[in-house]
Amino acid sequence: TEGLFRLSGQATILKTLDVKKINEEVIQQIKDIHTIAGVLKKTLREMSPALLESIKDQLLNLDSNPEVEKLKNIVGSLSEENKKPLQMLIDFLSEVAANASNNKMTPANLAVCFVPNLFSQPQSMEEQFAQMQNSAHLNAIFTALIQNNNQIFG
């Protein structure tokens, strides 16, 4: 697979990097764009609580092609400490998607890469199974977030 967030970065850097100590200086020392992309995904994956965990059930209750107003209301219910990083992430991913012809990252491709990092990691086999069952639906919802960024966060 190709695309900005689909190729692996330098595994040794990603394994040893403490996301709590990441700053601009650390990022500037990393020369590989795929490693920087990996740092972003690792940072999201290690957030506690996970960025979208508090609204997961509400998102799962939406249609796969949700009404923008419903999605906006659910996102609006996030705490400020989660809403602002989500808005920054969606703004960034919207820009990435706008250049899909160059980077091969459409909103749907970005959803596949990012959704697993936005919710708590499954601990049991049952949770892993549920995550697999819900992944396509959550990917569709996240795709809609990217596609409707201006209406949701405008």
PDB file of all heavy atoms in Angstrom, residues 62-84:
ATOM      1  N   LEU A  62     -24.948   6.494  14.734  1.00  0.00           N
ATOM      2  CA  LEU A  62     -25.217   7.270  13.525  1.00  0.00           C
ATOM      3  C   LEU A  62     -25.303   6.346  12.311  1.00  0.00           C
ATOM      4  O   LEU A  62     -24.760   5.244  12.311  1.00  0.00           O
ATOM      5  CB  LEU A  62     -24.090   8.275  13.273  1.00  0.00           C
ATOM      6  CG  LEU A  62     -23.990   9.477  14.192  1.00  0.00           C
ATOM      7  CD1 LEU A  62     -22.715  10.251  13.896  1.00  0.00           C
ATOM      8  CD2 LEU A  62     -25.207  10.367  14.039  1.00  0.00           C
ATOM      9  N   ASP A  63     -25.964   6.836  11.264  1.00  0.00           N
ATOM     10  CA  ASP A  63     -25.927   6.137   9.979  1.00  0.00           C
ATOM     11  C   ASP A  63     -24.507   6.232   9.429  1.00  0.00           C
ATOM     12  O   ASP A  63     -23.752   7.142   9.790  1.00  0.00           O
ATOM     13  CB  ASP A  63     -26.886   6.798   8.979  1.00  0.00           C
ATOM     14  CG  ASP A  63     -28.342   6.613   9.364  1.00  0.00           C
ATOM     15  OD1 ASP A  63     -28.650   5.615  10.039  1.00  0.00           O
ATOM     16  OD2 ASP A  63     -29.149   7.484   8.992  1.00  0.00           O
ATOM     17  N   SER A  64     -24.161   5.329   8.515  1.00  0.00           N
ATOM     18  CA  SER A  64     -22.822   5.363   7.904  1.00  0.00           C
ATOM     19  C   SER A  64     -22.598   6.621   7.082  1.00  0.00           C
ATOM     20  O   SER A  64     -21.473   7.030   6.852  1.00  0.00           O
ATOM     21  CB  SER A  64     -22.609   4.132   7.024  1.00  0.00           C
ATOM     22  OG  SER A  64     -22.500   2.991   7.832  1.00  0.00           O
ATOM     23  N   ASN A  65     -23.680   7.212   6.622  1.00  0.00           N
ATOM     24  CA  ASN A  65     -23.605   8.489   5.904  1.00  0.00           C
ATOM     25  C   ASN A  65     -24.381   9.503   6.747  1.00  0.00           C
ATOM     26  O   ASN A  65     -25.516   9.853   6.432  1.00  0.00           O
ATOM     27  CB  ASN A  65     -24.195   8.344   4.501  1.00  0.00           C
ATOM     28  CG  ASN A  65     -23.961   9.565   3.662  1.00  0.00           C
ATOM     29  OD1 ASN A  65     -23.172  10.434   4.003  1.00  0.00           O
ATOM     30  ND2 ASN A  65     -24.659   9.646   2.545  1.00  0.00           N
ATOM     31  N   PRO A  66     -23.762   9.994   7.826  1.00  0.00           N
ATOM     32  CA  PRO A  66     -24.508  10.771   8.821  1.00  0.00           C
ATOM     33  C   PRO A  66     -24.891  12.170   8.346  1.00  0.00           C
ATOM     34  O   PRO A  66     -24.214  12.764   7.511  1.00  0.00           O
ATOM     35  CB  PRO A  66     -23.526  10.865   9.988  1.00  0.00           C
ATOM     36  CG  PRO A  66     -22.187  10.804   9.346  1.00  0.00           C
ATOM     37  CD  PRO A  66     -22.348   9.876   8.169  1.00  0.00           C
ATOM     38  N   GLU A  67     -25.982  12.648   8.918  1.00  0.00           N
ATOM     39  CA  GLU A  67     -26.361  14.044   8.700  1.00  0.00           C
ATOM     40  C   GLU A  67     -25.297  14.906   9.379  1.00  0.00           C
ATOM     41  O   GLU A  67     -24.898  14.638  10.523  1.00  0.00           O
ATOM     42  CB  GLU A  67     -27.725  14.333   9.324  1.00  0.00           C
ATOM     43  CG  GLU A  67     -28.871  13.595   8.677  1.00  0.00           C
ATOM     44  CD  GLU A  67     -30.181  13.849   9.412  1.00  0.00           C
ATOM     45  OE1 GLU A  67     -30.355  14.948   9.977  1.00  0.00           O
ATOM     46  OE2 GLU A  67     -31.008  12.929   9.414  1.00  0.00           O
ATOM     47  N   VAL A  68     -24.855  15.921   8.687  1.00  0.00           N
ATOM     48  CA  VAL A  68     -23.779  16.776   9.195  1.00  0.00           C
ATOM     49  C   VAL A  68     -24.167  17.407  10.530  1.00  0.00           C
ATOM     50  O   VAL A  68     -23.342  17.486  11.452  1.00  0.00           O
ATOM     51  CB  VAL A  68     -23.398  17.865   8.159  1.00  0.00           C
ATOM     52  CG1 VAL A  68     -22.388  18.838   8.728  1.00  0.00           C
ATOM     53  CG2 VAL A  68     -22.858  17.217   6.893  1.00  0.00           C
ATOM     54  N   GLU A  69     -25.424  17.821  10.663  1.00  0.00           N
ATOM     55  CA  GLU A  69     -25.855  18.480  11.905  1.00  0.00           C
ATOM     56  C   GLU A  69     -25.765  17.526  13.097  1.00  0.00           C
ATOM     57  O   GLU A  69     -25.347  17.924  14.192  1.00  0.00           O
ATOM     58  CB  GLU A  69     -27.279  19.021  11.743  1.00  0.00           C
ATOM     59  CG  GLU A  69     -27.629  20.109  12.722  1.00  0.00           C
ATOM     60  CD  GLU A  69     -26.698  21.317  12.679  1.00  0.00           C
ATOM     61  OE1 GLU A  69     -26.250  21.720  11.593  1.00  0.00           O
ATOM     62  OE2 GLU A  69     -26.410  21.855  13.774  1.00  0.00           O
ATOM     63  N   LYS A  70     -26.116  16.267  12.907  1.00  0.00           N
ATOM     64  CA  LYS A  70     -26.003  15.277  13.990  1.00  0.00           C
ATOM     65  C   LYS A  70     -24.538  15.056  14.364  1.00  0.00           C
ATOM     66  O   LYS A  70     -24.205  14.981  15.550  1.00  0.00           O
ATOM     67  CB  LYS A  70     -26.641  13.946  13.571  1.00  0.00           C
ATOM     68  CG  LYS A  70     -28.145  13.971  13.547  1.00  0.00           C
ATOM     69  CD  LYS A  70     -28.707  12.603  13.196  1.00  0.00           C
ATOM     70  CE  LYS A  70     -30.225  12.639  13.184  1.00  0.00           C
ATOM     71  NZ  LYS A  70     -30.791  11.317  12.828  1.00  0.00           N
ATOM     72  N   LEU A  71     -23.705  14.952  13.371  1.00  0.00           N
ATOM     73  CA  LEU A  71     -22.273  14.763  13.614  1.00  0.00           C
ATOM     74  C   LEU A  71     -21.689  15.974  14.338  1.00  0.00           C
ATOM     75  O   LEU A  71     -20.918  15.834  15.290  1.00  0.00           O
ATOM     76  CB  LEU A  71     -21.560  14.530  12.280  1.00  0.00           C
ATOM     77  CG  LEU A  71     -20.159  13.982  12.288  1.00  0.00           C
ATOM     78  CD1 LEU A  71     -20.019  12.744  13.150  1.00  0.00           C
ATOM     79  CD2 LEU A  71     -19.708  13.681  10.864  1.00  0.00           C
ATOM     80  N   LYS A  72     -22.116  17.153  13.925  1.00  0.00           N
ATOM     81  CA  LYS A  72     -21.666  18.391  14.573  1.00  0.00           C
ATOM     82  C   LYS A  72     -22.080  18.428  16.041  1.00  0.00           C
ATOM     83  O   LYS A  72     -21.283  18.811  16.906  1.00  0.00           O
ATOM     84  CB  LYS A  72     -22.237  19.597  13.828  1.00  0.00           C
ATOM     85  CG  LYS A  72     -21.791  20.933  14.369  1.00  0.00           C
ATOM     86  CD  LYS A  72     -22.350  22.075  13.533  1.00  0.00           C
ATOM     87  CE  LYS A  72     -21.865  23.404  14.046  1.00  0.00           C
ATOM     88  NZ  LYS A  72     -22.308  24.515  13.204  1.00  0.00           N
ATOM     89  N   ASN A  73     -23.294  18.019  16.340  1.00  0.00           N
ATOM     90  CA  ASN A  73     -23.772  18.003  17.725  1.00  0.00           C
ATOM     91  C   ASN A  73     -22.990  17.021  18.585  1.00  0.00           C
ATOM     92  O   ASN A  73     -22.664  17.314  19.740  1.00  0.00           O
ATOM     93  CB  ASN A  73     -25.267  17.679  17.772  1.00  0.00           C
ATOM     94  CG  ASN A  73     -26.114  18.817  17.252  1.00  0.00           C
ATOM     95  OD1 ASN A  73     -25.690  19.969  17.227  1.00  0.00           O
ATOM     96  ND2 ASN A  73     -27.315  18.496  16.806  1.00  0.00           N
ATOM     97  N   ILE A  74     -22.680  15.863  18.032  1.00  0.00           N
ATOM     98  CA  ILE A  74     -21.919  14.866  18.790  1.00  0.00           C
ATOM     99  C   ILE A  74     -20.507  15.366  19.049  1.00  0.00           C
ATOM    100  O   ILE A  74     -20.016  15.307  20.181  1.00  0.00           O
ATOM    101  CB  ILE A  74     -21.916  13.508  18.059  1.00  0.00           C
ATOM    102  CG1 ILE A  74     -23.326  12.913  18.075  1.00  0.00           C
ATOM    103  CG2 ILE A  74     -20.906  12.550  18.694  1.00  0.00           C
ATOM    104  CD1 ILE A  74     -23.488  11.687  17.201  1.00  0.00           C
ATOM    105  N   VAL A  75     -19.870  15.893  18.031  1.00  0.00           N
ATOM    106  CA  VAL A  75     -18.518  16.445  18.195  1.00  0.00           C
ATOM    107  C   VAL A  75     -18.552  17.605  19.184  1.00  0.00           C
ATOM    108  O   VAL A  75     -17.653  17.758  20.013  1.00  0.00           O
ATOM    109  CB  VAL A  75     -17.925  16.868  16.832  1.00  0.00           C
ATOM    110  CG1 VAL A  75     -16.669  17.706  17.006  1.00  0.00           C
ATOM    111  CG2 VAL A  75     -17.638  15.644  15.977  1.00  0.00           C
ATOM    112  N   GLY A  76     -19.622  18.386  19.136  1.00  0.00           N
ATOM    113  CA  GLY A  76     -19.771  19.512  20.058  1.00  0.00           C
ATOM    114  C   GLY A  76     -19.878  19.097  21.511  1.00  0.00           C
ATOM    115  O   GLY A  76     -19.621  19.891  22.414  1.00  0.00           O
ATOM    116  N   SER A  77     -20.245  17.849  21.745  1.00  0.00           N
ATOM    117  CA  SER A  77     -20.360  17.366  23.123  1.00  0.00           C
ATOM    118  C   SER A  77     -19.017  16.939  23.723  1.00  0.00           C
ATOM    119  O   SER A  77     -18.947  16.645  24.918  1.00  0.00           O
ATOM    120  CB  SER A  77     -21.353  16.199  23.191  1.00  0.00           C
ATOM    121  OG  SER A  77     -20.793  15.029  22.613  1.00  0.00           O
ATOM    122  N   LEU A  78     -17.972  16.921  22.914  1.00  0.00           N
ATOM    123  CA  LEU A  78     -16.644  16.582  23.430  1.00  0.00           C
ATOM    124  C   LEU A  78     -16.159  17.652  24.405  1.00  0.00           C
ATOM    125  O   LEU A  78     -16.507  18.834  24.274  1.00  0.00           O
ATOM    126  CB  LEU A  78     -15.618  16.499  22.291  1.00  0.00           C
ATOM    127  CG  LEU A  78     -15.602  15.242  21.445  1.00  0.00           C
ATOM    128  CD1 LEU A  78     -14.730  15.459  20.213  1.00  0.00           C
ATOM    129  CD2 LEU A  78     -15.104  14.052  22.245  1.00  0.00           C
ATOM    130  N   SER A  79     -15.329  17.246  25.336  1.00  0.00           N
ATOM    131  CA  SER A  79     -14.686  18.226  26.221  1.00  0.00           C
ATOM    132  C   SER A  79     -13.762  19.096  25.376  1.00  0.00           C
ATOM    133  O   SER A  79     -13.305  18.684  24.304  1.00  0.00           O
ATOM    134  CB  SER A  79     -13.875  17.503  27.299  1.00  0.00           C
ATOM    135  OG  SER A  79     -12.780  16.828  26.697  1.00  0.00           O
ATOM    136  N   GLU A  80     -13.478  20.296  25.841  1.00  0.00           N
ATOM    137  CA  GLU A  80     -12.583  21.195  25.103  1.00  0.00           C
ATOM    138  C   GLU A  80     -11.203  20.566  24.916  1.00  0.00           C
ATOM    139  O   GLU A  80     -10.568  20.767  23.892  1.00  0.00           O
ATOM    140  CB  GLU A  80     -12.453  22.547  25.811  1.00  0.00           C
ATOM    141  CG  GLU A  80     -13.558  23.511  25.499  1.00  0.00           C
ATOM    142  CD  GLU A  80     -13.741  23.780  24.007  1.00  0.00           C
ATOM    143  OE1 GLU A  80     -12.759  24.049  23.299  1.00  0.00           O
ATOM    144  OE2 GLU A  80     -14.899  23.714  23.547  1.00  0.00           O
ATOM    145  N   GLU A  81     -10.755  19.792  25.919  1.00  0.00           N
ATOM    146  CA  GLU A  81      -9.420  19.180  25.798  1.00  0.00           C
ATOM    147  C   GLU A  81      -9.380  18.120  24.704  1.00  0.00           C
ATOM    148  O   GLU A  81      -8.296  17.765  24.241  1.00  0.00           O
ATOM    149  CB  GLU A  81      -8.941  18.598  27.124  1.00  0.00           C
ATOM    150  CG  GLU A  81      -9.671  17.380  27.604  1.00  0.00           C
ATOM    151  CD  GLU A  81      -9.108  16.841  28.912  1.00  0.00           C
ATOM    152  OE1 GLU A  81      -8.308  17.518  29.568  1.00  0.00           O
ATOM    153  OE2 GLU A  81      -9.500  15.730  29.280  1.00  0.00           O
ATOM    154  N   ASN A  82     -10.518  17.622  24.266  1.00  0.00           N
ATOM    155  CA  ASN A  82     -10.558  16.692  23.137  1.00  0.00           C
ATOM    156  C   ASN A  82     -11.038  17.361  21.849  1.00  0.00           C
ATOM    157  O   ASN A  82     -10.620  16.970  20.761  1.00  0.00           O
ATOM    158  CB  ASN A  82     -11.442  15.489  23.456  1.00  0.00           C
ATOM    159  CG  ASN A  82     -10.750  14.494  24.359  1.00  0.00           C
ATOM    160  OD1 ASN A  82      -9.663  14.746  24.875  1.00  0.00           O
ATOM    161  ND2 ASN A  82     -11.371  13.363  24.571  1.00  0.00           N
ATOM    162  N   LYS A  83     -11.918  18.346  21.983  1.00  0.00           N
ATOM    163  CA  LYS A  83     -12.473  18.997  20.796  1.00  0.00           C
ATOM    164  C   LYS A  83     -11.397  19.761  20.013  1.00  0.00           C
ATOM    165  O   LYS A  83     -11.327  19.674  18.788  1.00  0.00           O
ATOM    166  CB  LYS A  83     -13.604  19.951  21.194  1.00  0.00           C
ATOM    167  CG  LYS A  83     -14.435  20.406  20.022  1.00  0.00           C
ATOM    168  CD  LYS A  83     -15.521  21.402  20.394  1.00  0.00           C
ATOM    169  CE  LYS A  83     -16.218  21.062  21.678  1.00  0.00           C
ATOM    170  NZ  LYS A  83     -17.201  22.055  22.086  1.00  0.00           N
ATOM    171  N   LYS A  84     -10.558  20.497  20.707  1.00  0.00           N
ATOM    172  CA  LYS A  84      -9.540  21.305  20.021  1.00  0.00           C
ATOM    173  C   LYS A  84      -8.530  20.434  19.271  1.00  0.00           C
ATOM    174  O   LYS A  84      -8.264  20.692  18.093  1.00  0.00           O
ATOM    175  CB  LYS A  84      -8.834  22.230  21.032  1.00  0.00           C
ATOM    176  CG  LYS A  84      -7.933  23.236  20.370  1.00  0.00           C
ATOM    177  CD  LYS A  84      -8.718  24.188  19.484  1.00  0.00           C
ATOM    178  CE  LYS A  84      -7.816  25.199  18.842  1.00  0.00           C
ATOM    179  NZ  LYS A  84      -8.478  25.953  17.787  1.00  0.00           N
TER     180      LYS A  84
END
